[in-house]
Amino acid sequence: MSSDESDDTAEDPPVEGEPTESGESFALTYVAPFLGVLLIAVGIPLAILGGYVVVQDTLNLCGDPSIDVRALGDEERPSAAVGELEYGELSQAEQRALEQAIGSPLEEATVEGEMENRDVLLEGAVVEVDGERYYVRIASLNSCLRAEPLLFPIGMVGILLGIVGVLTPPIYRKMAGFEERIQQR
Amino acid sequence: MSRAVIQVSLFVAILSGCFLTAYFARRRRTDPSPDGGYAAIGERGLTWSEAKAAAIRWTTTTNHREIGLLYIAFGTVAAIWGGTDAMMIRTHLLTPEANIWTEQTYNELFTMHGLTMLIFFVAPVFFGIGNYFLPLLIGADDMAFPRLNAVGFWMLPPALLLSRLGILAEVTGKSLALVVPEGWLTILYVLREPALGWTLYTPLSTTMPDPQINFLLLGLHLSGIATTIAAINFITTIVYERTSEIGWANLDIFSWNMLVTSALVIFAFPLLGTALLMLLFDRNFGTTFFATEGGGPVLWQHLFWFWGHPEVYIIFLPAAGLMSLILPKFVGRKLFGFKFIVYSTIAIGVLSFGVWAHHMFATGIDPRIRASFMATSIAIAVPSAIKVFNWITTIWNGNVKLAAPTILCVGGIGMHIYGGITGVFLAVIPVDIIYHDTYYVVGHFHLIVMGIIPLMMFAASYYWYPLLTGRLYDRRLALFQSTLLVTGSALTFVTLMALGFLEHPRRYATYPAEFQNLHVVATVGAYIIGLSVMLWLYNMLWSYFHGEPVETADPWDLKSTNQFTREWQWFEEKLERERGIPPSEPEEVRRSYVPAQEEAPPSLYGRIVPVARTVVSDAGAGAIGGFVGTMFMTGVLFVAVAIGAFDLEAFADLAALVGLPATVGLGYAVFLVGGMTVWPLLFLALGEYLPGELSFVTGLWYSTVIASGFAIAFHTDQLGLELVAYLLFVLLSHWTYGLGLAGTIEYFGSRHPSPPEDQP
Ligand code: HEM
Ligand SMILES: [Cu+2]
């Protein structure tokens, strides 16, 4: 792949003011930005993980599971393995969430507080509220991300270095042009 | 973290990035530049009245080129939207637990990613390219129905907004919550992006409470109407608006692909619309089309995939057309086997309606029905393979130029081969049963939907950039960008393929920790794709203002290989007319329909006849040759049966395979039909690649190759010496077949087709 034997290539004819030999120019025009993009692409996930851990912990974004409910018909049973729970067995927070979920059009709510029946609800259970039977399940545990916050700076440095890499060709062309003008003077 | 807010910010950031680039590029251009600069005429800031005039012009235009650009712009916006979905999916999958976003969010992401990409990105961009270039390629003044064309386009933006109302509502709610009490906003929070999977399978889609699903169905329905309108317009334009010099035989390959695509649209999309309405009624008005006690959930799958599989080809065929159009220009050779590419395109079009149940192998439908769908699904690979062979042969011995479109074409062929072959495996029932809901499927179809479709769009954008803007793009950046894109796509989706081989199920927000490394690799690959797309956007916008102005209407040196096609001729005239003068649009009023002239064949029938005649003569020679060959073969097999080397039961199995009662007679009939259609056609198409100057030699080679398949398929339980005899007779019988086939075809003089001139 060489853009110099340009008779039969559709690509650039050798650009005027391209001062260095082709090997160097190839490395700086294609290889450096490629490594740059690679650095950015690796840097983004690192930065996201490291940065998000901090945000999550300071803003308390995780830890409260959400439940979803579905009203059941008479005799309907989601599956043979699903157990029953008495309304009274639910903790305060669970009861609150359950009622909220029944009232919500999306049939979902977050459990804010003590979650006593976590294991049962993870599998799903039938609960009777005011004579209606509901199938109640945990929809999401909202589990917390655990990662080293240090990843954030590492990732950011990677991204910045990468950007420099991507910008090598124009920078290099500018500098080369500058040098040439100096020499011509 | 609220995914909606992040996504909308990302989206807005990218769009503002684009505007900023354009703004600075424009500003820079007005500055006097040291090298003497490029004269900027009338480059002031935009005044209010100018802006208003521009807005009116762009929203009311019926010019096919302007509508084409609108389509492309719309498709690009949708691609960015669906692309941020993709990036967020991959970000979510960085960790095994669902801890960056929730499971619900993940389900929303992959659902709307799929729908946005398939419905709002691919078809609009291809229709845009078609709108701009197809009339130029066939020498038409405009599309047949210019106003309808505009109507079709303007249905799309509301369709997209309806479909993605959920995320808009959420962001609006979140921002309003800063100023008004939350209580007022419940209605906004109720609309939530559907979390169903893009296939909208019942009963989940009928029972899920989310009201946004209704809007989604309406939005999809609207987009379906828009697509159908556009397809009608393309067909009419191609049939009635060609100049008199262009007949069916020298209609260019891209227009052929758009024609077949549009035909598929017309048969597929109305069905989707109906099914969507049925689903809407089931959800809201108590009908029971898809209820378990009613029509049943599997009915939905039949209806959906009867649209869904042709849809796959609706988005693939235009890409294949672009490949067939662009590749020859950069390798300096005519497209190899033009006629057979057209035939294979038509064959794909027809066959694509007969394979839908391969998406339903795991539903437990009748095994006999399944088996016949397996057979058709494998058969549809044949025409696709013909295309690939023709592309490769086009490159062969060509004068390959290093340019961004070349890299994209070659990369596209490569990934298409991987995507296609993995698809053939998936068409095999036992393989599908294991892999159907794993990342194997995701890897397989992305190698097509990412590996060739967008690649061809990028290739087209580079190829026609000089024509579109009168300037050249930054070619070094383009080379770099296309390499990056190919690398990123291969990295991402081959990795997903690997995850699939490990039987990692798809559509799950969480996964076992041992898969994390592979997921991270796929995510890095996806970011590489994302970054390369940003570089492309930058290149397109910046070069629009700063690219080298074209000096000639032939930047790709097409004249030297006699490939200076009509759209470039049009461009040449335009350059001549407008050199140095600001572009001006003539204020003339077009007729939308030009009645047939005296010298043009008077009717559609009259125009189709010549094509039909060639097709029939080719197919006829093939069929007769096949018949003769099969008769010879039957004779040899008869002997084989007599001495016990061949078991007639094998024919019964063949009948059963295609879903007929398992009798020897029916099996033989299938055998005869196959011998007269599929195999001669393949011979006609592939004969070129097989060794042999003489047709007879080629016939022998060909039959030797297909004998191996026969030997496996028709093997009953011969062992030892019997097996030797069996193989011997298989070979012998095929040789007689090959000789009979080749001899007959040679007699009718149909082999060695000469590709029609691209040039008028
Ligand atoms: C940047 C490139 C892309 C990436 C990284 C990407 C990523 C993904 C991933 C990881 C999934 C699987 C989600 C899951 O099963 O859990 C997916 C699904 C899907 N993608 Fe893409 N994608 C990309 C581009 C495209 C394009 C260009 C199209 C179509 C033209 C497309 C269409 C689809 C469809 C239809 C699904 C299936 C959704 C479903 O299962 O309901 N993707 N994508
Ligand atoms: Cu299919």
Side-chain angles (χ1 to χ4, degrees):
Chain A
M1 176 165 156
S2 148
S3 51
D4 283 23
E5 302 135 16
S6 53
D7 278 335
D8 55 349
T9 63
E11 283 311 306
D12 287 316
V15 173
E16 235 188 289
E18 194 91 71
T20 38
E21 79 266 25
S22 68
E24 186 179 330
S25 129
F26 179 78
L28 290 173
T29 336
Y30 296 110
V31 179
F34 189 82
L35 294 178
V37 171
L38 213 57
L39 265 180
I40 301 180
V42 174
I44 298 174
L46 295 180
I48 289 179
L49 291 184
Y52 184 66
V53 168
V54 179
V55 177
Q56 164 194 277
D57 293 348
T58 36
L59 298 182
N60 277 328
L61 291 175
C62 66
D64 293 337
S66 59
I67 55 169
D68 81 6
V69 301
R70 181 160 68 83
L72 295 175
D74 300 331
E75 307 290 309
E76 190 187 342
R77 187 150 265 292
S79 86
V82 168
E84 306 250 351
L85 265 181
E86 287 296 323
Y87 184 72
E89 289 175 70
L90 299 178
S91 74
Q92 290 261 301
E94 286 167 346
Q95 288 179 358
R96 227 180 309 129
L98 178 54
E99 258 142 54
Q100 222 181 328
I102 291 172
S104 112
L106 291 173
E107 307 180 345
E108 268 192 34
T110 313
V111 185
E112 281 154 1
E114 198 59 35
M115 184 127 198
E116 274 165 21
N117 300 295
R118 190 193 172 94
D119 292 341
V120 184
L121 290 181
L122 207 53
E123 301 294 324
V126 176
V127 185
E128 202 173 308
V129 186
D130 300 333
E132 286 279 344
R133 292 162 67 247
Y134 293 96
Y135 179 40
V136 186
R137 289 163 299 180
I138 289 185
S140 171
L141 283 172
N142 279 320
S143 43
C144 297
L145 174 66
R146 280 178 306 275
E148 281 297 329
L150 192 62
L151 288 181
F152 180 71
I154 296 179
M156 286 313 281
V157 171
I159 294 174
L160 291 177
L161 261 181
I163 292 179
V164 174
V166 173
L167 292 180
T168 327
I171 295 176
Y172 156 71
R173 256 173 268 156
K174 277 244 169 61
M175 297 215 317
F178 181 66
E179 232 178 73
E180 222 174 47
R181 253 172 284 144
I182 298 245
Q183 280 168 8
Q184 278 168 8
R185 242 194 289 174
Chain B
M1 276 272 241
S2 162
R3 159 260 171 155
V5 172
I6 292 187
Q7 182 164 25
V8 171
S9 323
L10 253 176
F11 183 75
V12 170
I14 293 173
L15 285 196
S16 345
C18 291
F19 282 120
L20 275 180
T21 311
Y23 175 75
F24 279 115
R26 212 182 140 89
R27 273 256 316 253
R28 272 277 299 274
R29 195 167 68 163
T30 45
D31 293 345
S33 54
D35 57 345
Y38 179 65
I41 306 155
E43 288 293 345
R44 294 157 286 114
L46 214 59
T47 67
W48 172 242
S49 61
E50 276 171 347
K52 211 167 97 182
I56 290 179
R57 165 155 161 256
W58 280 99
T59 44
T60 55
T61 178
T62 57
N63 177 320
H64 70 98
R65 277 178 285 126
E66 288 174 347
I67 292 182
L69 293 177
L70 285 174
Y71 262 119
I72 293 173
F74 172 84
T76 309
V77 168
I80 294 172
W81 202 338
T84 51
D85 286 326
M87 295 303 132
M88 291 171 82
I89 296 179
R90 291 305 331 164
T91 307
H92 179 108
L93 291 170
L94 277 173
T95 60
E97 300 94 25
N99 44 21
I100 298 183
W101 288 294
T102 62
E103 291 84 346
Q104 161 76 24
T105 302
Y106 183 79
N107 297 351
E108 295 171 9
L109 278 173
F110 72 70
T111 304
M112 293 317 292
H113 160 71
L115 282 171
T116 309
M117 286 298 198
L118 292 180
I119 310 260
F120 295 105
F121 158 48
V122 180
V125 171
F126 283 140
F127 282 1
I129 296 177
N131 249 295
Y132 198 108
F133 292 103
L134 195 139
L136 299 183
L137 283 167
I138 64 174
D141 295 338
D142 200 315
M143 297 289 283
F145 308 118
R147 286 198 198 85
L148 197 62
N149 200 15
V151 170
F153 169 76
W154 285 107
M155 283 180 179
L156 285 177
L160 177 62
L161 290 183
L162 267 178
S163 305
R164 303 217 59 170
L165 207 55
I167 195 165
L168 299 177
E170 196 176 333
V171 175
T172 318
K174 286 248 155 65
S175 1
L176 282 183
L178 301 176
V179 283
V180 300
E182 291 247 356
W184 299 5
L185 301 170
T186 1
I187 180 133
L188 289 177
Y189 291 134
V190 167
L191 296 180
R192 193 163 67 169
E193 293 240 281
L196 295 165
W198 78 282
T199 48
L200 311 174
Y201 273 7
T202 52
L204 187 60
S205 55
T206 41
T207 51
M208 216 179 227
D210 186 356
Q212 166 59 21
I213 295 173
N214 301 327
F215 291 114
L216 172 67
L217 295 177
L218 289 171
L220 294 180
H221 191 31
L222 193 59
S223 89
I225 296 173
T227 311
T228 314
I229 288 179
I232 292 172
N233 213 343
F234 277 122
I235 292 181
T236 321
T237 308
I238 294 174
V239 172
Y240 287 110
E241 304 281 315
R242 282 173 292 138
T243 64
S244 49
E245 294 142 45
I246 295 191
W248 289 108
N250 62 353
L251 182 63
D252 70 282
I253 191 72
F254 178 65
S255 304
W256 266 112
N257 276 270
M258 289 305 286
L259 182 67
V260 176
T261 305
S262 306
L264 287 181
V265 166
I266 287 191
F267 285 103
F269 268 82
L271 186 98
L272 173 72
T274 321
L276 288 172
L277 288 184
M278 287 157 80
L279 186 55
L280 200 66
F281 288 179
D282 265 18
R283 280 181 62 79
N284 299 293
F285 305 128
T287 54
T288 55
F289 294 116
F290 307 121
T292 325
E293 303 81 19
V298 173
L299 174 62
W300 167 260
Q301 299 195 18
H302 279 295
L303 295 180
F304 182 86
W305 287 115
F306 192 80
W307 161 78
H309 191 86
E311 163 71 4
V312 172
Y313 287 97
I314 289 169
I315 64 179
F316 167 69
L317 286 180
L322 288 175
M323 174 75 82
S324 302
L325 185 85
I326 296 175
L327 180 69
K329 310 291 190 310
F330 288 86
V331 300
R333 288 194 64 188
K334 283 239 163 63
L335 181 62
F336 182 86
F338 178 92
K339 199 156 66 171
F340 290 96
I341 294 204
V342 172
Y343 288 173
S344 72
T345 306
I346 297 173
I348 287 179
V350 174
L351 278 175
S352 69
F353 282 99
V355 299
W356 76 90
H358 64 207
H359 296 277
M360 301 162 60
F361 285 158
T363 53
I365 45 177
D366 189 324
R368 284 165 302 182
I369 297 178
R370 263 193 285 186
S372 54
F373 275 99
M374 168 164 130
T376 49
S377 300
I378 294 173
I380 205 173
V382 173
S384 305
I386 290 177
K387 278 179 199 281
V388 169
F389 285 124
N390 280 299
W391 291 333
I392 294 176
T393 319
T394 307
I395 306 177
W396 199 269
N397 262 340
N399 175 16
V400 181
K401 295 174 191 161
L402 178 69
T406 325
I407 292 182
L408 292 166
C409 284
V410 173
I413 296 176
M415 277 188 275
H416 176 59
I417 292 177
Y418 274 98
I421 289 182
T422 49
V424 178
F425 289 129
L426 270 184
V428 179
I429 298 168
V431 176
D432 183 70
I433 300 279
I434 293 177
Y435 286 116
H436 78 280
D437 247 344
T438 67
Y439 271 87
Y440 183 90
V441 174
V442 182
H444 147 67
F445 74 75
H446 277 88
L447 282 170
I448 311 280
V449 295
M450 184 71 221
I452 184 164
I453 293 173
L455 257 58
M456 286 306 102
M457 295 175 182
F458 286 117
S461 74
Y462 287 135
Y463 174 55
W464 280 316
Y465 195 79
L467 192 156
L468 287 166
T469 62
R471 286 170 184 274
L472 288 171
Y473 53 83
D474 180 338
R475 282 176 284 182
R476 273 181 287 212
L477 183 56
L479 267 187
F480 177 60
Q481 186 266 337
S482 24
T483 315
L484 210 56
L485 186 69
V486 174
T487 319
S489 312
L491 180 63
T492 310
F493 299 114
V494 171
T495 311
L496 292 192
M497 212 74 228
L499 279 168
F501 275 124
L502 301 172
E503 291 168 36
H504 183 332
R506 70 191 267 223
R507 289 188 180 177
Y508 275 84
T510 56
Y511 57 87
E514 68 258 33
F515 292 122
Q516 188 174 12
N517 289 341
L518 281 176
H519 269 298
V520 171
V521 171
T523 302
V524 169
Y527 291 156
I528 292 182
I529 299 177
L531 291 168
S532 82
V533 173
M534 294 298 111
L535 288 178
W536 172 79
L537 270 175
Y538 168 80
N539 196 351
M540 293 290 116
L541 290 169
W542 189 261
S543 306
Y544 180 76
F545 298 98
H546 288 276
E548 240 177 276
V550 287
E551 301 296 341
T552 147
D554 188 14
W556 304 120
D557 207 12
L558 300 176
K559 283 182 177 164
S560 68
T561 49
N562 201 22
Q563 301 201 74
F564 195 66
T565 38
R566 281 181 164 271
E567 83 278 27
W568 293 105
Q569 290 165 17
W570 169 85
F571 182 52
E572 191 166 48
E573 283 162 27
K574 182 178 160 193
L575 270 188
E576 206 177 322
R577 230 181 320 128
E578 294 177 351
R579 165 109 329 146
I581 318 163
S584 67
E585 283 290 325
E587 293 280 0
E588 92 195 28
V589 182
R590 285 165 284 96
R591 266 184 302 169
S592 63
Y593 167 72
V594 184
Q597 247 83 69
E598 298 285 81
E599 55 275 33
S603 64
L604 177 57
Y605 174 75
R607 298 185 203 191
I608 287 182
V609 165
V611 196
R613 207 170 283 141
T614 348
V615 176
V616 166
S617 89
D618 273 1
I624 299 175
F627 181 76
V628 174
T630 314
M631 285 303 123
F632 286 169
M633 191 169 174
T634 309
V636 179
L637 285 182
F638 194 72
V639 179
V641 173
I643 65 168
F646 185 77
D647 192 345
L648 280 179
E649 276 312 303
F651 282 124
D653 292 348
L654 179 65
L657 181 71
V658 297
L660 294 169
T663 66
V664 176
L666 282 175
Y668 182 74
V670 173
F671 173 70
L672 184 59
V673 170
M676 288 174 62
T677 53
V678 176
W679 301 114
L681 220 71
L682 253 184
F683 174 67
L684 282 170
L686 295 188
E688 305 288 322
Y689 314 104
L690 293 170
E693 284 299 313
L694 293 173
S695 270
F696 287 102
V697 184
T698 315
L700 281 180
W701 275 106
Y702 175 68
S703 53
T704 312
V705 173
I706 61 176
S708 56
F710 182 96
I712 296 169
F714 284 75
H715 179 238
T716 34
D717 47 10
Q718 300 91 333
L719 283 175
L721 261 190
E722 265 184 14
L723 182 63
V724 176
Y726 169 72
L727 291 176
L728 213 65
F729 271 96
V730 167
L731 205 58
L732 260 180
S733 63
H734 275 79
W735 282 345
T736 55
Y737 175 76
L739 288 177
L741 177 69
T744 317
I745 292 180
E746 184 73 1
Y747 179 73
F748 286 106
S750 254
R751 234 195 107 219
H752 300 301
S754 51
E757 296 286 301
D758 288 355
Q759 288 293 120

